[in-house]
Amino acid sequence: MINWADYPNFTKAEFDCKETGKNEMQKRFVDVLQAIRTEFGKPMAISSGYRDQSHPAERNKSTPGAHTYGCAADVAVSGGDAQHLMYLAYKHGIRRIGVSQKGSGRFLHFDMAEHHGFPSPALWSY
């Protein structure tokens, strides 16, 4: 169980499933995100955190994605800040990074799903 008071730069609501309201984020992952945020020194807007398997982005997948394990988050960021965040994420042990830097919905996906059998290291673009 996560004590959200331990994370001065994040709230539970940011990580709640937008479909169900559930939140099963893993403490070890949020600990790493907080360390990244502290070093980054700027806000990190979480656009997607935990996703229940019934979430539209998950329900048509053949196997559950990293968000369903509570060890993934998408951070709304672009430009030089995106490059700096990727550097910090790698520095703090994130080895799975997805990059979406086109159009209006730019974000970085960070996850630690290697503990659930996902290939690592991995870098991909959307």
Side-chain angles (χ1 to χ4, degrees):
M1 184 59 108
I2 290 181
N3 178 3
W4 289 96
D6 292 341
Y7 306 100
N9 301 110
F10 297 113
T11 65
K12 176 187 171 294
E14 291 180 275
F15 293 92
D16 289 349
C17 177
K18 308 249 186 304
E19 187 76 9
T20 65
K22 291 181 184 176
N23 186 320
E24 297 180 18
M25 293 302 296
Q26 293 182 13
K27 182 182 183 320
R28 69 180 181 83
F29 179 70
V30 182
D31 286 346
V32 169
L33 283 183
Q34 180 60 59
I36 293 167
R37 166 58 183 86
T38 299
E39 189 168 348
F40 186 50
K42 297 179 182 181
M44 286 173 48
I46 305 300
S47 58
S48 184
Y50 178 75
R51 290 185 195 151
D52 188 77
Q53 289 187 20
S54 66
H55 187 284
E58 299 295 334
R59 76 177 146 229
N60 293 325
K61 292 181 179 179
S62 58
T63 58
H67 287 270
T68 66
Y69 293 102
C71 61
D74 296 341
V75 179
V77 64
S78 63
D81 282 345
Q83 288 181 311
H84 190 208
L85 263 184
M86 285 192 329
Y87 164 79
L88 292 175
Y90 200 81
K91 177 181 174 183
H92 286 275
I94 301 289
R95 296 294 182 263
R96 295 180 39 81
I97 300 173
V99 180
S100 177
Q101 292 294 295
K102 292 188 237 172
S104 61
R106 297 172 187 219
F107 68 93
L108 294 175
H109 167 96
F110 298 144
D111 81 51
M112 295 175 75
E114 62 272 13
H115 300 282
H116 298 282
F118 289 73
S120 180
L123 175 65
W124 65 93
S125 65
Y126 296 94

